[in-house]
Amino acid sequence: MNARAFPHRHLLGIEPLSAEDVVQVLDLSETFVGISERTIKKVPTLRGRTVINLFLEPSTRTRTSFEIAAKRLSADAINISGQASSTVKGETLLDTVRNLQAMHPDVIVIRHAASGAAHLVAQHVECAVINAGDGTHEHPSQALLDAATIRKHKGRIDGLEIAICGDIDHSRVARSNLYCLTRLGARVRLCAPRTMLPVGIDRMLGDAQDRVRTCFRIEEAIEGADVVMMLRIQTERLGAIGLFPNTREYSRHFGLSPRNIGGAKADAIVMHPGPINRGVELDPALADGPRSVILDQVSYGVAVRMALLYLLGAAGGGTVE
Ligand code: NCD
């Protein structure tokens, strides 16, 4: 089993992780993949531990994935869903987590519409906190499962050319992936309309900023790419401001389709964190085509989340049987 102690109490983002930390999660997740392929998909590793999934923003994949991961490790998984209104963001979130803490969970997995929500919660509880997406800030487990999928299909991440295209400005997936992939040695091209690509986003990376390039044409972003990751327009975060004329035009200029995929490497893979808006950012022919690894992302997501729950929720150790 993995001998190195994971040097973090919480997973609040990729930003504080070293390349070694990321590789530790990816390596460990590979040992968990097989459990999901068995007839009896359960090991006693986290028996007696409690995982609370507190999802205050819509989610299909991430919430199910954390719940399945917890259950496959024999932890007790409790799911709380609900929409947080703007009036209950501050005090009520803290009140909620203080009450949850009083029931002694081992891990709280939180998704919230406010950037920084997971950090706030971590300051007020004794258990481990996993950020399952906080506003436009980070979505670390998504970036880790994306890295696991890329490593599986390409055999490495170091030296790859990876295009991330879509609503970069509002995407926590883009931010977490930018940290994760550059830390593992990839070069990232970010592509969006000018209104959706924050000026100076490369500065987020400090010394590694030469590993990121921004493009305003999708053809330029995908030229010679090994991986093309498409992102949804985060309509729920746009407010009343129109950042592009209409979806047809967006799709024509920034969508991935059989018309422009030819510019990527012949063996380039197509990724998407879901939910896909078919025909907007991604043509159905590519979403369902031979280059698509989108459902593999979902499968590796369970193994990656099992690894995270093990590393953060098994204080005192567990065994994989
Ligand atoms: C992403 C999210 O919630 O940030 N989805 C996910 O977790 N798989 C991306 C999105 O909603 O577009």
Side-chain angles (χ1 to χ4, degrees):
M1 207 49 236
N2 225 300
R4 178 184 187 253
F6 194 63
H8 303 273
R9 233 183 95 210
H10 308 289
L11 179 72
L12 302 178
I14 300 291
E15 188 181 7
L17 303 191
S18 65
E20 200 184 357
D21 298 335
V22 171
V23 170
Q24 184 177 5
V25 176
L26 302 189
D27 287 349
L28 182 60
S29 74
E30 286 186 6
T31 70
F32 286 122
V33 170
I35 295 169
S36 297
E37 291 162 357
R38 296 180 192 167
T39 315
I40 310 291
K41 302 170 187 62
K42 215 175 184 64
V43 290
T45 312
L46 292 185
R47 191 166 46 203
R49 314 287 166 136
T50 305
V51 175
I52 297 182
N53 291 319
L54 177 61
F55 277 67
L56 301 173
E57 233 196 3
S59 173
T60 304
R61 271 152 295 269
T62 309
R63 201 194 53 208
T64 315
S65 185
F66 270 110
E67 183 179 352
I68 288 181
K71 288 183 168 160
R72 291 198 176 153
L73 292 173
S74 299
D76 295 310
I78 285 88
N79 300 301
I80 305 168
S81 307
Q83 296 288 352
S85 87
S86 53
T87 50
V88 296
K89 258 183 201 160
E91 280 182 343
T92 305
L93 174 63
L94 282 187
D95 232 7
T96 306
V97 295
R98 283 196 185 111
N99 279 275
L100 296 176
Q101 175 60 56
M103 297 180 227
H104 301 288
D106 297 284
V107 182
I108 293 178
V109 180
I110 177 165
R111 167 168 289 195
H112 198 282
S115 300
H119 286 72
L120 183 72
V121 169
Q123 284 163 13
H124 290 86
V125 294
E126 283 146 36
C127 64
V129 175
I130 298 180
N131 180 5
D134 63 325
T136 61
H137 176 233
E138 280 227 44
H139 190 354
S141 65
Q142 179 69 42
L144 290 165
L145 76 86
D146 290 338
T149 308
I150 295 170
R151 207 171 72 155
K152 197 77 188 160
H153 282 274
K154 295 283 160 200
R156 69 190 165 105
I157 291 178
D158 187 33
L160 293 183
E161 293 285 344
I162 301 179
I164 304 180
C165 310
D167 182 4
I168 307 292
D169 194 15
H170 301 99
S171 175
R172 51 200 180 199
V173 177
R175 271 172 198 63
S176 287
N177 263 302
L178 194 51
Y179 286 124
C180 189
L181 297 170
T182 54
R183 216 147 279 179
L184 296 177
R187 299 178 70 82
V188 176
R189 300 102 174 254
L190 296 176
C191 176
R194 279 180 198 273
T195 48
M196 292 181 170
L197 192 53
V199 176
I201 189 164
D202 52 339
R203 274 182 255 132
M204 217 175 81
L205 297 173
D207 292 347
Q209 55 181 280
D210 57 324
R211 298 214 182 127
V212 60
R213 178 153 66 88
T214 50
C215 319
F216 302 109
R217 288 181 56 248
I218 190 164
E219 291 78 11
E220 183 190 341
I222 63 183
E223 180 65 39
D226 298 282
V227 177
V228 183
M229 186 184 296
M230 299 307 295
L231 301 173
R232 183 178 67 90
I233 300 166
Q234 307 274 299
T235 36
E236 70 276 31
R237 304 189 207 286
L238 297 187
I241 317 159
L243 296 180
F244 55 94
N246 59 56
T247 35
R248 242 178 79 198
E249 193 151 338
Y250 179 88
S251 167
R252 183 140 44 88
H253 292 288
F254 292 95
L256 189 67
S257 73
R259 275 186 296 114
N260 52 27
I261 188 68
K265 289 215 177 105
D267 62 352
I269 55 172
V270 172
M271 303 178 71
H272 195 302
I276 302 170
N277 283 160
R278 284 176 176 259
V280 180
E281 72 272 14
L282 187 56
D283 189 295
L286 291 178
D288 305 326
R291 293 172 185 266
S292 171
V293 298
I294 294 169
L295 294 178
D296 284 352
Q297 290 173 262
V298 180
S299 298
Y300 292 128
V302 173
V304 163
R305 285 161 180 139
M306 287 168 84
L308 291 171
L309 291 175
Y310 174 82
L311 291 171
L312 300 170
T319 51
V320 182
E321 291 164 27

